[in-house]
Amino acid sequence: MIKETRITLKNIGKINPESIEDYLEAGGCEGLKRAFTMDPVSIIDELLEAGLRGRGGAGFSTGMKQRFTSESCRQCPQRYVVVNADEGEPGTFKDRLIMEQDPHLYIEGTIIAAYAINATKGYIYLRGEYQESIDKTQKAIESAYARGFLGKNILNSGFDFDLEIKLGAGSYLCGEELTMLESLEGKRGTPRIKPPFPAEKGLFGLPTLVNNVETLATVPPIIFHGKEWYRKFGTERSAGTKIFAISGQVNKPGNYEVEMGVTLRQLINDLAGGMREGKKFKAALLGGAAGTFVDASLLDDRMTYDHLKEKGATLGSGAVIVMAEGDSVFDILHNCLRFFRHESCGKCVPCRVGTSLLERESLKLRNGHPDKKALLQQLVKESQIMANTSLCPLGQSPILPLESAARFFAEELTA
Amino acid sequence: MSNLEILEKFKPEAHNLLMILHALQDSHPENYLTEDAMESTARYLKMTKSSVYGVANYYTMFSVKPRGKFIIRVCVSPVCELLKINEVIQHLEEELGIKTGETTPCKRFTLETSECLGQCHEAPSMMINQEVFNHLDKPKIKAILEDYRKK
Ligand SMILES: Cc1cc2nc3c(=O)[nH]c(=O)nc-3n(C[C@H](O)[C@H](O)[C@H](O)COP(=O)(O)O)c2cc1C
Ligand code: SF4
Ligand code: FES
């Protein structure tokens, strides 16, 4: 029987998210105070050696990203921190929990990150639909200013940092970091070409650190307790804990923070209360629409970035959508393909045409086609071409659910 | 509040455009961005009208056409689909007497779809303006609409 290990979610349900006093009493801002006793370079080293990897989906080393951002363009007049609070990957609802129930924590992490890279201005790009997250975060920012955790000369450290919320307006693509920067500048949410990365040329052309809410909320405990402590959790290459957002056909869907390396079976049985109504497990979609299907053969594999990758699966944002015997893999796959068509910005041809084509042609798997096996192969091939030729990661994503569904559920899809 | 009064709450800088459009849209009883609102915004931010219109048109939360007082956004993403959101949409369409994408003749409700609302552990889900509703079924939908008809 595994249990939760709450590091990032340690305050959830225990404090009043609208009271900074509660937060401070629960040990809040101790990470920040410790950070101010360190020099910025050693904060970055600490995070690097702790092995923290980005929780927004890509799993890139947090310390490494900070180092790039702090070292690029030394003569630039300004550096920014942008908090990716645009949670839009279908099946993902973990950042919302932090923002609604412990907003001070990720704000504290943001201040530490800003100090580490010497940014004096930050923006939280928050999903426009997340009203409660917006309200709680706004309140937390105001109390942080009132208490001297934000603004000029924070806690007499000599460090200044301002933070404000900017709202998204219903575009999944704006969760992609470079697109987010376009949107933050007041433009349509269409991607920029990479490189340059935000670390070199980000918001308003200046070095910018973009981090996910969960990533930043994990920074204060690491800085407070130290890298050796954090390394005790998880595995060698996927250190620490991760929040998994489990939904679908389980008895207790929700967010569970566990050490990296647990198995899907443990997540479902030990934490999520088992399969709903005792149904039989059929499939899980890991990582959301830009994620991969797995079948029962992966129930006992360790969920880490690298191990899942070896198995052709993804960890992504931590979304786990559980399907039971009787559910249609086709329906969920088609839903993902419809999603990509809907969210494609249309800037480049492979994705604009490709996402429409995949949505339309895949319907023939259900509605009749003389050679479904060939059709399925053709669809996977199209998505491969899109992956090779699309301008941004959105057009490179449909292959993930499509290829994995074809691998595990070809029989059902072509029946 | 007039459009200008709303505009003046923000610094006249281009990066405030989305925040301004949210504020202008929320202030309109028909939940949309009027021609006039977009024109004043362009003037205020010293941008072309077409770039303001381009942004207003791009993001799904903005509308350049009049809508109802209450915008119903039903999640159609995978988890909600798995847990029978199609039946929910059917009940809503029957109760309201409109199809998805339409506004009731009394201008009270507009029925829209949305991608994942981040409520998946309590799916199927929808929002009405800023309020979230989960675990939807027929009786619950009836009760919610009854409530909103009185608002
Ligand atoms: C289409 C698309 C959507 C994305 N949506 C999100 C999102 O909603 N939230 C998020 O944190 N990252 C999202 N990402 C990942 C970001 O681009 C970026 O990797 C992340 O913000 C980096 O932060 P991290 O290093 O802390 O994970 C998305 C990426 C793509 C390609
Ligand atoms: S891949 Fe799709 S979303 Fe990305 S730029 Fe091209 S059309 Fe836009
Ligand atoms: S899929 Fe409907 S709320 Fe997430």
Side-chain angles (χ1 to χ4, degrees), chain A residues 196-213:
Chain A
F197 289 88
E200 306 152 66
K201 242 174 169 274
L203 191 61
F204 307 120
L206 296 170
T208 302
L209 178 74
V210 184
N211 270 139
N212 167 262
V213 169

Side-chain angles (χ1 to χ4, degrees), chain A residues 90-93 96 127-131 165-170 174 183-189 204 247-248 253-254 276 321-322 327 331-332 335 338-339 342-343 345, chain B residues 14-19 22 47 51 53-55 57-62 73 76-79 81-84 113-123 127 130 132:
Chain A
T92 313
F93 44 92
R96 185 171 68 79
R127 233 191 121 166
E129 291 93 340
Y130 272 14
Q131 192 57 46
I165 299 178
K166 291 275 197 178
L167 298 185
C174 287
S183 183
L184 272 171
E185 291 178 7
K187 301 183 201 143
R188 288 164 74 101
F204 307 120
S247 62
R276 189 175 287 187
I321 303 172
V322 179
D327 291 335
D331 283 352
I332 302 309
N335 191 304
R338 176 204 58 79
F339 174 75
H342 185 251
E343 300 298 329
C345 79
Chain B
H15 65 91
N16 282 325
L17 179 57
L18 271 76
M19 296 300 278
H22 271 297
M47 292 168 84
S51 45
Y53 190 80
V55 166
N57 235 338
Y58 183 80
Y59 293 92
T60 55
M61 284 184 84
F62 298 137
R73 292 194 178 87
V76 293
S77 282
V79 187
E81 155 127 29
L82 192 66
L83 301 175
K84 309 262 182 300
T113 58
S114 164
E115 297 306 338
C116 179
L117 294 168
Q119 305 288 338
C120 330
H121 56 318
E122 300 185 73
M127 293 182 76
Q130 256 80 295
V132 177

Side-chain angles (χ1 to χ4, degrees), chain A residues 173 191 343-348 351-352 390-396:
Chain A
L173 184 54
E343 300 298 329
S344 167
C345 79
K347 184 165 162 176
C348 68
C351 170
R352 184 177 65 228
S390 293
L391 191 67
C392 90
L394 191 140
Q396 296 156 10

Side-chain angles (χ1 to χ4, degrees), chain B residues 13-86:
Chain B
E13 294 166 3
H15 65 91
N16 282 325
L17 179 57
L18 271 76
M19 296 300 278
I20 289 175
L21 294 181
H22 271 297
L24 288 170
Q25 173 165 288
D26 289 347
S27 77
H28 196 286
E30 285 173 285
N31 265 309
Y32 83 114
L33 292 162
T34 61
E35 200 72 15
D36 183 50
M38 288 187 280
E39 229 164 274
S40 323
T41 306
R43 232 176 295 123
Y44 186 70
L45 296 179
K46 298 195 174 58
M47 292 168 84
T48 60
K49 215 184 126 191
S50 67
S51 45
V52 173
Y53 190 80
V55 166
N57 235 338
Y58 183 80
Y59 293 92
T60 55
M61 284 184 84
F62 298 137
S63 174
V64 294
K65 295 199 189 84
R67 294 186 289 184
K69 183 170 173 199
F70 301 115
I71 313 290
I72 306 178
R73 292 194 178 87
V74 191
C75 173
V76 293
S77 282
V79 187
C80 288
E81 155 127 29
L82 192 66
L83 301 175
K84 309 262 182 300
I85 199 73
N86 288 333

Side-chain angles (χ1 to χ4, degrees), chain A residues 40-55:
Chain A
V41 175
S42 47
I43 294 176
I44 294 176
D45 287 343
E46 191 81 17
L47 291 172
L48 192 71
E49 286 158 26
L52 178 62
R53 296 171 67 170
R55 302 301 193 224

Side-chain angles (χ1 to χ4, degrees), chain A residues 278-337:
Chain A
K279 289 180 185 174
K280 193 161 167 251
F281 173 89
K282 176 176 185 181
L285 178 56
L286 304 181
T292 47
F293 287 94
V294 298
D295 71 357
S297 71
L298 267 79
L299 273 172
D300 295 308
D301 280 78
R302 284 160 81 74
M303 311 253 286
T304 68
Y305 291 109
D306 303 295
H307 183 74
L308 285 179
K309 199 166 171 195
E310 274 167 35
K311 292 275 174 168
T314 49
L315 185 82
S317 59
V320 178
I321 303 172
V322 179
M323 300 171 63
E325 213 60 64
D327 291 335
S328 157
V329 169
F330 172 82
D331 283 352
I332 302 309
L333 172 63
H334 188 260
N335 191 304
C336 295
L337 298 176

